[in-house]
Amino acid sequence: LGPNGIFYAEYRTSLVGPYDDDPSDSLAAYRVSDGSLLWRRHLPHRAAEYPAVGRLGPHGPLAVLVVMGQNPTFNMPAAMDAAILKGNGGGLRSWTMAVDAVTGEALWTFEDERWNSAVAAGETPGRACVPHPHASPTIGGDGTVYVASGLSGALHAIREANGDGAITPDEVTTFHASSAFLHGPALAPGMAVAAPCWGPIYVFRD
């Protein structure tokens, strides 16, 4: 739910598997006051998580952040893992996209590195978190977007600084946790706290 009185929903209506894109992958905006649909846009990849809404900086646009991608699965024998990867181009993929909250137009897209296993980082036999490809994004007051990977355990801080609609390496800072994330980081003034599936808890200060 955005500060503009609009509710944003990321969803799919198809029952296709956890690796495939589908024409029903969508992001929609509904006016809370009367439930009317304001816009709906197709997502280019598998809809995977709840969106986040916030401004991309004090003077930036109000944006909806959506994550998309291929889900990890339960721990499995190496041969089954290899077969899944072979059927998906050698690795699982995930994306984060910023969308203009008013128009639904894409502002930028960030693709994470492919993950070379069908199982999330830190999973072991008998210990399963099975997160989504990314946790829901978190948006800082300065417009930085924090994205926690449910595949590799990478925690990205993304700041599209020059407004050109492209995320370059110098606009991304990455921390690699010990295991994958189910939830995104929590923010407070001068502090971010992140807890992957199997710990430990990481605290970052300015």
Side-chain angles (χ1 to χ4, degrees), residues 88-130:
N88 288 281
L92 300 188
R93 302 177 70 186
S94 56
W95 297 262
T96 302
M97 182 167 68
V99 173
D100 188 289
V102 176
T103 66
E105 295 298 314
L107 299 173
W108 52 256
T109 300
F110 167 76
E111 182 176 1
D112 210 336
E113 293 184 5
R114 283 180 181 259
W115 178 238
N116 62 351
S117 175
V119 180
E123 307 280 76
T124 59
R127 190 177 81 164
C129 181
V130 196

Side-chain angles (χ1 to χ4, degrees), residues 35-189:
S36 61
L37 176 66
L38 299 177
W39 53 259
R40 178 189 291 118
R41 64 160 294 145
H42 170 66
L43 295 177
H45 308 290
R46 180 180 173 276
E49 186 55 276
Y50 303 111
V53 187
R55 290 204 174 274
L56 298 183
H59 306 292
L62 185 65
V64 184
L65 274 295
V66 297
V67 291
M68 305 165 285
Q70 299 170 308
N71 264 27
T73 188
F74 293 96
N75 206 284
M76 62 181 63
M80 294 178 63
D81 191 316
I84 290 175
L85 295 181
K86 183 177 180 181
N88 288 281
L92 300 188
R93 302 177 70 186
S94 56
W95 297 262
T96 302
M97 182 167 68
V99 173
D100 188 289
V102 176
T103 66
E105 295 298 314
L107 299 173
W108 52 256
T109 300
F110 167 76
E111 182 176 1
D112 210 336
E113 293 184 5
R114 283 180 181 259
W115 178 238
N116 62 351
S117 175
V119 180
E123 307 280 76
T124 59
R127 190 177 81 164
C129 181
V130 196
H132 292 159
H134 281 303
S136 291
T138 306
I139 306 172
D142 63 352
T144 300
V145 176
Y146 299 88
V147 181
S149 174
L151 297 173
S152 68
L155 176 61
H156 303 292
I158 306 169
R159 183 74 183 275
E160 207 282 269
N162 57 14
D164 66 353
I167 301 299
T168 54
D170 62 301
E171 295 174 319
V172 181
T173 301
T174 300
F175 171 81
H176 292 280
S178 58
S179 62
F181 287 91
L182 181 62
H183 301 293
L187 303 181

